[in-house]
Amino acid sequence: MSNIGVIHFHLGGTDGVSLEIDKWRHVLEKMGHTVHYCAGDLGTLDGTLIPEIYHHREDGLRLYRNTFIGRDDYPGDDGVAQYRADLEAVAGALDATLRVWVCEKQIDFIIPNNVWSVAANPAVAPALTRIM
């Protein structure tokens, strides 16, 4: 069977996404698959912790604010370029770390949760896009 990777900003809590992912894991394991969690906060779960994925880190919050609210932290003519450089720096580091996780766990299939639809930490989306 397959090694399935599940990625989210935060897992192991009592929020809706965490509860749904637990249901998926149960069903997928009954089907014979192995499920590997990866998150910025694992709560009470075993899995791979990659803190840069967490959406309440200062770098993630800053990127979120400047992506969706206003580019206040990146003023001036070079603000857009600096924002993109900061986003790329975090995304690049995440890309490398996620690739290690995929290789170490021999992931065959990735289930991303809210990475593209919610974008609570904007750097996660491009990093994950590159490895899928």
Side-chain angles (χ1 to χ4, degrees):
M1 288 292 168
S2 297
N3 286 317
I4 299 175
V6 177
I7 298 177
H8 187 53
F9 305 110
H10 163 79
L11 292 171
T14 57
D15 59 285
V17 173
S18 292
L19 296 174
E20 285 300 312
I21 288 171
D22 287 343
K23 292 178 195 176
W24 295 357
R25 182 179 196 148
H26 177 74
V27 170
L28 292 167
E29 287 178 343
K30 279 183 81 170
M31 294 172 65
H33 301 292
T34 301
V35 177
H36 300 278
Y37 287 145
C38 178
D41 178 5
L42 289 165
T44 60
L45 297 178
D46 289 328
T48 300
L49 178 67
I50 301 177
E52 293 81 8
I53 293 174
Y54 192 50
H55 58 301
H56 291 299
R57 286 172 45 105
E58 181 52 40
D59 53 357
L61 291 170
R62 185 182 67 256
L63 290 170
Y64 179 86
R65 275 191 321 271
N66 289 273
T67 301
F68 298 110
I69 297 170
R71 202 170 31 87
D72 296 336
D73 296 318
Y74 299 94
D77 293 339
D78 65 337
V80 172
Q82 185 58 51
Y83 163 79
R84 288 181 178 157
D86 287 357
L87 179 68
E88 181 54 38
V90 177
L94 273 171
D95 177 328
T97 306
L98 287 168
R99 286 180 190 278
V100 169
W101 173 69
V102 167
C103 290
E104 284 180 352
K105 302 298 182 185
Q106 299 179 349
I107 301 295
D108 300 305
F109 185 80
I110 295 174
I111 301 174
N113 290 274
N114 292 348
V115 170
W116 294 299
S117 61
V118 175
N121 182 344
V124 179
L128 190 56
T129 299
R130 293 176 194 153
I131 67 164
M132 291 190 72

